RNA sequence: GUCCCCUUCGUCUAGCGGUUAGGACACCGGGUUUUCAUCUCGGCAACAGGGGUUCGAUCCCCCUAGGGGACGCCA
């Protein structure tokens, strides 16, 4: 069986967003699952909009997810000469023709067609004129007029369209540069791509490219068109609602495992399983299991996965991740209990940033909100009594400390919340925090006393 | 407008002619927990509509509606 070769072919005109990342992921998974190769090709023929920084950003995003191309990136702009000569050869063989219609003429024509409720497309005016090719003329591909163009999509099934719906599209511009649709086809052929995996917005391009392959007498690759990822409003993903730079997610403290799991589950399923490691995906992934309907982006789901992975990776790894990838505005590593604290706080954390924020009070005296101050003042006597007795607590062992607390409460005839509520506010500056005994234990005798004193003297 | 694709709980989805239509997220309750959370138990909630085919349609076919996409000398 021949080796599968797939490619991800973004144009470096923007950052990699969720939709692109999913396409790359599926393409990579499919190649790797089949012991094949995954390639990266930059479609950088639009000089105006293509930017080096975007190339870098896309490579970084893929690298973050652990998607590594098997060869150096290919730049479409480097193959222009081949595209041009191939276009000329099609002209030579009569599969393409020279056309001198001006852009203004074409606009006029489209306008009329739309008025007449026709599909706007080139009317074939110069198709059979055999015009001599000269500078300024474009070369158009001669699309078959009769019959249909069909292919078996690995996700969507049979896709078929009457050839009369396809128009004689331009393959070489007036300035001699090749157009995207042509270049992409030639490059796929050059790179010996076996399966083209891309968004379903490319379906009409596929139909055109298939005819290019036919006229060149070249094999036609397999195709798999992924349904689009829609925003939560059901519209196409845009900057406003989710098409942000993938690296933003990294900055916000999302784990790559969460992104991958979320992205792959957006359309792909394997029985009732929700959680997949990369290794599992690499052995289970098939294009046939990809759903054929578009999916909406869901903040809730991505958060669910992130929380899941924050809680399932090794706590040491989590610590390393925070130290290396995040800006922590306070010092963590001096505390001998830092891993236990991390472990305590991570349960309810949505992101790494969230986690860092949630455990800040362990390392710094909290800022007190006015309403919290008032709440504590209302119970200040209890705190004073507790302070007098804090010496009697054994801070060396969490379990013993917990028992000491109980003893203190019963000997002073107090219910737990009477002490717990204000004490928690003093120690943590918030209502949602670990248990009182854990707070005292991890903060330690001195810091606990310090915070109580600070509060009382204010 | 024309063509292409899509349509099961709010969301992601399972289902591939006979199911009490399953799971996950979210949400809502109960229990556990000296707060929140965790954990646990339970609940709410869907086959877009209409025609066929069939003994029987979520599933096959057609139509309608809705959504998305494509219709550039952009990619």
């Amino acid at each position: 069986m021949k080796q599968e070769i797939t490619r991800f072919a973004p144009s470096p005109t923007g950052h990699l967003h969720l939709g692109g990342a999913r396409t790359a992921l599926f393409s990579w998974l499919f190649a790797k699952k089949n012991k094949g190769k995954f390639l990266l090709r930059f479609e950088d023929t639009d000089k105006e909009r293509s930017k080096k920084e975007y190339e870098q950003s896309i490579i970084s995003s893929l690298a973050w997810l652990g998607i590594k191309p098997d060869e150096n990136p290919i730049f479409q702009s480097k193959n222009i000469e081949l595209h041009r000569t191939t276009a000329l050869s099609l002209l030579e063989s009569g599969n393409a023709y020279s056309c001198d219609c001006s852009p203004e003429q074409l606009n006029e024509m489209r306008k009329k067609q739309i008025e007449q409720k026709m599909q706007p497309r080139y009317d074939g005016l110069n198709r059979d004129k055999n015009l001599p090719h000269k500078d300024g003329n474009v070369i158009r591909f001669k699309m078959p007029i009769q019959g249909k163009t069909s292919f078996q999509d690995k996700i969507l099934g049979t896709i078929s369209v009457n050839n009369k719906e396809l128009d004689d599209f331009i393959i070489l511009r007036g300035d001699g540069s090749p157009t995207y649709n042509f270049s992409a086809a030639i490059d796929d052929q050059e790179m010996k791509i076996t399966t083209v995996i891309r968004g379903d917005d490319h379906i009409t391009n596929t139909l055109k490219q298939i005819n290019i392959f036919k006229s060149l007498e070249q094999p036609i690759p397999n195709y798999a068109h992924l349904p689009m990822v829609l925003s939560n409003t059901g519209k196409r993903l845009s900057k406003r609602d989710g098409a942000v730079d993938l690296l933003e997610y990294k900055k916000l403290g999302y784990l790559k495992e969460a992104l991958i799991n979320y992205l792959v589950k957006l359309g792909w399923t394997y029985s009732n399983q929700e959680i997949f490691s990369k290794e599992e995906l690499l052995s289970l992934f098939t294009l046939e299991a990809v759903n054929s309907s578009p999916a909406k982006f869901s903040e809730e789901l991505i958060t669910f996965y992130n929380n899941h992975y924050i809680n399932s990776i090794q706590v040491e790894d989590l610590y390393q991740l925070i130290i290396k990838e995040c800006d922590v505005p306070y010092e963590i590593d001096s505390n001998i209990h830092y891993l236990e604290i991390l472990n305590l706080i991570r349960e309810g954390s949505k992101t790494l940033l969230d986690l860092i924020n949630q455990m800040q009070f362990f390392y710094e005296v909290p800022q007190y909100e006015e309403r919290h101050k008032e709440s504590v003042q209302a119970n200040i006597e209890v705190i004073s009594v507790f302070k007098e007795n804090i010496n009697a607590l054994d801070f060396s062992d969490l379990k013993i400390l917990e028992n000491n607390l109980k003893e203190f409460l019963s000997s002073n005839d107090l219910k737990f919340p009477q002490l717990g509520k204000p004490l928690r506010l003093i120690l943590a500056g918030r209502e949602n925090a670990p248990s009182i005994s854990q707070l005292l234990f991890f903060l330690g005798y001195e810091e606990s006393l310090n915070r109580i004193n600070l509060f009382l003297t204010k």
Side-chain angles (χ1 to χ4, degrees):
Chain A
M1 208 178 82
K2 79 177 168 181
Q3 188 189 36
E4 285 284 359
I5 304 177
T6 66
R7 90 296 195 278
F8 177 55
S11 62
T13 55
H15 296 289
L16 187 67
H17 63 233
L18 246 23
R22 188 180 67 144
T23 305
L25 179 62
F26 282 19
S27 197
W28 177 77
L29 281 174
F30 177 74
K32 294 292 124 188
K33 155 73 190 291
N34 293 295
K35 308 268 178 278
K37 283 204 290 188
F38 168 76
L39 306 178
L40 174 62
R41 180 176 79 220
F42 284 115
E43 314 225 309
D44 58 343
T45 52
D46 187 331
K47 290 282 168 231
E48 295 286 302
R49 298 195 301 142
S50 296
K51 295 262 174 5
K52 274 281 166 224
E53 58 167 299
Y54 292 134
E55 286 169 13
Q56 274 318 309
S57 155
I58 290 168
I59 290 172
S60 304
S61 290
L62 293 177
W64 178 47
L65 296 179
I67 298 177
K68 207 162 72 245
D70 290 301
E71 290 174 13
N72 287 333
I74 288 121
F75 293 89
Q76 188 155 71
S77 57
K78 297 229 171 95
N79 295 334
I80 286 179
E81 210 36 53
L82 173 69
H83 305 154
R84 197 194 326 267
T85 53
T86 310
L88 259 12
S89 81
L90 282 174
L91 181 65
E92 203 64 30
S93 64
N95 287 301
Y97 58 93
S98 189
C99 173
D100 62 2
C101 294
S102 68
E104 296 73 35
Q105 234 174 310
L106 295 172
N107 278 337
E108 191 62 26
M109 181 189 74
R110 277 188 208 107
K111 231 175 82 184
K112 276 189 190 149
Q113 285 166 332
I114 289 168
E115 275 168 21
Q116 292 169 43
K117 301 189 194 302
M118 289 165 63
Q119 167 147 231
R121 61 183 209 273
Y122 184 63
D123 61 3
L125 181 70
N126 290 321
R127 183 179 167 103
D128 299 313
K129 286 188 182 164
N130 230 328
L131 295 175
H133 190 55
K134 59 175 194 221
D135 282 358
N137 278 20
V138 302
I139 295 181
R140 284 185 183 276
F141 181 72
K142 203 178 266 185
M143 200 58 85
I145 297 173
Q146 305 282 314
K148 291 176 174 217
T149 299
S150 314
F151 67 97
Q152 274 304 117
D153 190 278
K154 304 259 264 183
I155 294 171
L156 265 20
T158 307
I159 292 179
S160 181
V161 70
N162 286 320
N163 285 334
K164 64 177 182 190
E165 305 296 340
L166 274 13
D167 72 348
D168 292 347
F169 66 103
I170 292 168
I171 58 177
L172 206 64
R173 300 191 182 90
D175 65 1
S177 64
T179 59
Y180 158 78
N181 242 325
F182 190 66
S183 294
I186 303 306
D187 284 349
D188 283 341
Q189 178 208 314
E190 271 299 296
M191 293 161 70
K192 300 185 167 38
I193 301 301
T194 54
T195 304
V196 174
I197 299 168
R198 53 179 21 163
D200 71 3
D201 50 335
H202 281 279
I203 287 177
T204 45
N205 293 332
T206 296
L207 266 359
K208 289 174 178 175
Q209 291 173 5
I210 283 173
N211 284 292
I212 297 275
F213 291 127
K214 282 182 180 168
S215 69
L216 251 19
E217 295 178 336
Q218 290 294 325
I220 296 164
N222 293 320
Y223 288 96
H225 291 92
L226 301 171
M228 304 261 90
V229 180
L230 271 25
S231 75
N232 53 6
T233 56
K235 298 287 176 216
R236 194 179 183 168
L237 223 49
S238 71
K239 283 255 162 57
R240 245 188 93 70
D241 40 30
V244 293
D245 180 359
L246 196 77
L247 294 175
E248 272 308 303
Y249 284 96
K250 190 183 180 193
K251 283 191 201 132
L252 289 170
Y254 284 85
L255 271 52
K256 64 172 191 290
E257 290 83 357
L259 258 298
I260 289 173
N261 205 140
Y262 172 70
L263 250 20
V264 83
K265 280 288 293 173
L266 211 52
W268 180 81
T269 44
Y270 182 78
S271 87
N272 270 343
Q273 194 171 335
E274 309 288 341
I275 303 297
F276 295 89
S277 67
K278 189 178 275 181
E279 290 65 37
E280 284 177 293
L281 292 175
L282 251 10
S283 73
L284 295 174
F285 185 80
T286 58
L287 287 172
E288 286 74 13
V290 175
N291 195 22
S292 60
S293 53
K296 283 181 196 159
F297 170 77
S298 161
E299 191 72 45
E300 282 162 357
L301 251 193
I302 204 168
T303 298
F304 160 73
Y305 281 114
N306 207 42
N307 175 263
H308 172 81
Y309 283 102
I310 283 177
N311 282 286
S312 54
I313 63 173
Q314 295 293 316
V315 69
E316 291 86 354
D317 294 341
L318 185 64
Y319 173 69
Q320 289 303 322
L321 213 50
I322 286 172
I323 292 304
K324 287 183 183 144
E325 307 289 351
C326 306
D327 293 324
V328 184
Y330 51 87
E331 201 61 40
I332 296 182
D333 55 356
S334 59
N335 192 308
I336 53 161
H337 293 302
Y338 68 99
L339 289 182
E340 283 115 311
I341 290 171
L342 211 48
N343 217 12
L344 219 50
I345 300 296
R346 68 169 166 175
E347 278 180 1
S349 299
K350 308 289 187 197
T351 65
L352 261 26
L353 245 42
D354 188 25
L355 174 58
I356 289 167
N357 183 262
Q358 295 291 329
M359 65 177 184
Q360 181 160 9
F361 67 81
F362 271 114
Y363 301 97
E364 286 181 351
V365 177
Q367 301 286 317
Y368 299 108
E369 288 178 37
E370 211 45 54
R371 64 192 177 96
H372 288 159
K373 285 186 195 166
E374 288 163 15
S375 168
V376 176
Q377 286 304 335
N379 298 286
I380 203 72
E381 307 80 35
V382 181
I383 296 299
S384 298
V385 176
F386 178 71
K387 193 194 135 185
E388 296 308 312
N389 290 275
I390 192 166
N391 281 319
L393 304 180
D394 181 352
F395 277 76
S396 67
D397 183 278
L398 180 58
K399 205 71 203 158
I400 297 174
L401 182 59
E402 199 177 324
N403 285 328
N404 291 164
L405 263 180
K406 282 178 185 162
E407 288 157 15
F408 167 79
L409 288 170
S410 59
S411 64
N412 288 281
D413 200 23
L414 289 166
K415 291 260 185 284
F416 189 87
Q418 289 176 275
L419 170 68
K421 235 185 134 189
L423 191 53
R424 177 175 290 107
L425 287 173
I426 290 176
L427 297 176
R430 66 215 306 164
E431 288 159 317
N432 307 339
S435 72
I436 294 298
S437 51
Q438 288 175 124
L439 283 174
L440 288 168
F441 179 73
F442 289 123
L443 245 22
Y445 169 75
E446 289 190 6
E447 182 60 18
S448 298
L449 185 58
N450 177 40
R451 291 189 185 185
I452 293 168
N453 278 328
L454 272 175
F455 199 96
L456 290 176
T457 53
K458 245 183 225 175

